[in-house]
Each structure stands twice: as structure tokens, then as C-alpha cells.
Amino acid sequence: MPSEARTATAVARPSGGPRWRGLVATAGREAAGALIALALSVIALRHVVATARVDLLWYDGDSVLLPLVQRSLALGQPFEWAMSPALFFFPELPVYLLCAAVTATPQQALALNGVLVFLAVYALVRAAANELMPAARRSARVAVSAIALGFLTLLVLTESSATATSLELASLLLTTTYYYGVVLAMLGTAVLVLRAVRLGRASVTVLVILGLVAACTTASNPLYVPWSAAPVVVTLVLLAVARRLPWRPVLLLAGTVTIGSVVGYLLRIPLRPFVSLDPSTYVQPSHAGETLGFFAALTDDRAGTAAGDAGLLLMFIGVLLTVGGTVWAWRVRTSRTVLVAAAFPLVTVLAVSVGVVVAGSETPRYLEPVVTAPLLALVAVAELARTAVRRTQVHRPRRGVRVVLAIAAAGVLLAGVATAPSTARAVTAARYDPASCLDHWADGRSVVGVGQFWTVRPLAAYSATNVQLLQVRDTFETYPWLVDLGAYRDAAPTFVVIGSQDLWTTAVEDSLGAPATITHCTGFDVYDYAGTSGAAVLQRDVVGSADRIRLERGF
């Protein structure tokens, strides 16, 4: 019968009321999770700002890199930066420039950046929970994601020293130059892989995004390969060999990550002028024994306080989650996504831990995945508990769990609200007093000076724009490390900043003669050579060496 002749039948459609209420409930649960994540981020930031760790966040020679880049761009200086093997072009620099655009001081921009990183960690873990717990209630997925961020925040609360050379790894995520970009890329890569594994196929969209993440992150920081790319490939291939994953999506995913990483390395070829050292210079296998002793000593130092013991215990719990979760997922033959989510952190922790020792590196921050990769394992274990434990006699009604979680969430929100005003005041009122002393000495004059790395960099980041500082070695030659060589073009340095901890091969006065004046500030002295023969020596040695370095780099 033609369709036109069919009898029209009235179809009862559900009203928009239930759907609208469902959307509101969904938005409410997600908003509650986001608010808890924000509260945890503020709590972590407040702890860092209130302890000696604030020096690492705001005033460390490495931490002020992006404020220096932003300052250089604002002054219109040529972009001729000598970076480390990590270039911080993706995602660190654009994120910081955005933060700087909406804040008034570098301290505020760095603080905002740190909060955004913690929120990004929550968002990525939340995305992983969607892939790992598709049958669970939305509230359960939100709760598990918040618990994972809470675990990371607890780790931050055990860390309070002013040095990056320690096993205090979680708080490094709040800084802009201790590789948070690679950590986020690692979590993002895991989410994309889990999605492909859950669906049983790797869609074009997933593969394209995965390749872009691998290429862009590797081009900016080659740590992506040992932290993420290699562990992903090894995990997928091992599970495929064990017949726990089908080969087709494994080959597509592993191939995409590999090709993306190779493309990232190729992109570093035109970026070579910006790279100060080849990453291979960090690999010294002959020092493996010394590295073991070094990290054993760091562990002893960390265990010297109650907070340090708590931090080590939390790190051990994280590693235990990766090991126990992998064994559990393997034995109960759970979903493929849960098995991958448990095994990937284990492979990552093993690869990073063994890799640091084999490379002979005495740089603790390269172990950062040890405290971040287990967040995925935590979600996997939660799904195992939901699907495996609840079917046994061990399971009890969920009301008690819900009450505990509700009380914990309320406590976190109250703590976040209570600490937010004091945190905001501390951030907005933060000033670097040594820079104020230097500004007072300059008295509005446009002056150029020089100094050594650890002393001069925070001064260069926080002093007034009329005060320019150039980074030099103890021989007054340019030190091309995390510095804009374009700032040295046609510069006329006339003063030297001498820090109380600086070591000079030859006394400054023996190299430059007697200064016209000496001004004392907290932590450093200002030797003014304006109008003396020492100024000509400074320009010859500093600017001349910078010209040679720029020529060698191809700028």
C-alpha cells in the first residue's frame, strides 16, 4: 500500500520534562565533580604557597622561564631562545601566555597555570573513567575521578621543600617547566587508547588525534617517548601476544603512536637552533651504580620526617595499585579496557624507574610518572571492585559508601572555600623583594646588567621593564641556557649582579676593575660600572660571545 494511503497513527512521545530533569541532574553531578576538583587544586596551591615550596613555584631559575619568554615577547625582542632539550612550545607556552593575559603579575599567572593543570588532570582521569566504567552510574565515575585527584593532592600536601632535587614529585605539576605537558599528554594518550580498545576498533578521529598528540608533544619534549609512547606500544603488543587484545587495533594504535613520535623527532630538526643540548647527553649508563646510591640517599632524606614517610607510603600505594590491579585484572579476565588501564601504568612505572637508573641520571623529576600513571590504575581497580566484588559475599549495601563519599566531598569543598580567600590574597600580594631593591637602584633608568643563572633569572623575571639582565658564566661569557639570545643584540651592559652564593673563577674586580658604586640588596650586590673601563670589557665579552653563539646556532 502506498505510503500516502496508510492510516496515520498517533505516536505518543515522551514529554521534555523527564529529559530536561535528566540533563539537569547530569550537569549537576559533573559540576559537583568539577567544584571538588577546583577545591582540591586550591588546597594544593595553598599548601605550596604557604611553604618553602613556593620558591620552586615562583622564584626558581627554571620556573621563571615562561615569564621570561612572555616578558621578551612583550618587549619585542627577537625570538632567539636557547632552550634545553625540552622546548616548552606545546602546551606550556600557549597556556602560560593565556594565563599571563588575564593576570597582573607573573606570580598570579604561574598560580593560575598550576590550578589549570590540576583541573586538566581531573578532566583526563574523568575521561578515562568514562571508558573504563561505561556501565557505572555517572556519580560513581565522578567520584572515582575526584578520588584520583584527591590522591594526587594528598601527595602534594606531604611536599614542602624548596628544591626540585628531591622525591617530592606531585607538586612539580603545579610548575610550568617540570614537564606537566608530557604528563597530560601521557594521560591523554591513555584515554585515546582506552577508547579504541573499548570500542574494539581505532576510528580515524582517534588515530588522528593520537598522532597529533604524539607528534606535537615529542617535538616539544622528547620525554613523551619513554613516558608514554614506548610504554603504550609495549603494553599493547604484550597483551596482543598474550591473546588478550586483537592485533588489528593494536597495530593501528602502536603504529600511530610510533609514527607520531618519529614525526615529532623530525619536527625537531628545524627547531634545532632552539635546543641547547642533545637529549643523548643525558644518557650515561656507566653511572648507573651511582644513580642507585643517589636515589637511595634521596629516599632516606624523604623518610626523615612524618610528612616524608606519608609521601613515600602514598607513592608505594600507587605502585601497589598498578601491580595489584594488573594481576587482578588478568586473573578475573575483566574487560580489555580495565586490563590495559591497569597494565599501562605498571609498564610505565617500570620503564621510567629502570630507565632512569640505566641512563645514569640523577634527576628525580624524570620519575614523575611514578606518581601520575597510577591514577589510571586507581580507576581500573575501582571498576574491578564494582564489577567483581559486588557479586561476592564481601559486598555490602552501597549506602554506607555513599555517606562516606558525601562527607568527604563536603569536607573537601569546605576546605577549598576556607582556603580560597587566603590563597587569593597570598597570590595577589606576592612580590619579589630583591627585584624591588634592584628597581629602586635603577630609579627608572633604562639599564642593562649581567649575572649568573640562579641569581639573575628571578630578578630578570620580576624587575621593572626598564631593567634588563643578561645571563653569563663566571667568565662573563654568555650562558646559552633557557635564555633569549636576541636580548644580547647590541646590548650595552653596565652593571654586574653578584649573588651571595655565586662562584667566580676570577674576582669580579680583578676582571673588570673597581666599580663606580656598590649597592647592597638582600642576597646580592650591584656593582655599577657605568662610566668605567669595566663597561667596555662587559660589552666585549658578553655581547661578543653572544654574537658567536647566535652565529653557531644559525640565528
Side-chain angles (χ1 to χ4, degrees), residues 134-182:
R137 294 175 179 267
R138 183 177 297 271
S139 56
R141 285 175 272 163
V142 170
V144 169
S145 304
I147 289 171
L149 189 66
F151 179 83
L152 191 64
T153 303
L154 281 177
L155 265 170
V156 173
L157 296 180
T158 69
E159 303 173 359
S160 58
S161 75
T163 178
T165 312
S166 69
L167 287 180
E168 298 170 312
L169 304 174
S171 54
L172 296 181
L173 280 174
L174 289 167
T175 69
T176 56
T177 47
Y178 288 123
Y179 317 137
Y180 82 78
V182 186

Side-chain angles (χ1 to χ4, degrees), residues 480-527:
W481 185 258
L482 306 181
V483 71
D484 186 6
L485 296 172
Y488 293 73
R489 288 184 180 272
D490 302 320
T494 59
F495 69 93
V496 181
V497 173
I498 302 177
S500 58
Q501 303 298 320
D502 289 350
L503 295 176
W504 297 85
T505 303
T506 304
V508 173
E509 292 191 56
D510 291 342
S511 299
L512 304 178
T517 62
I518 298 177
T519 302
H520 301 287
C521 292
T522 302
F524 66 94
D525 295 329
V526 180
Y527 282 35

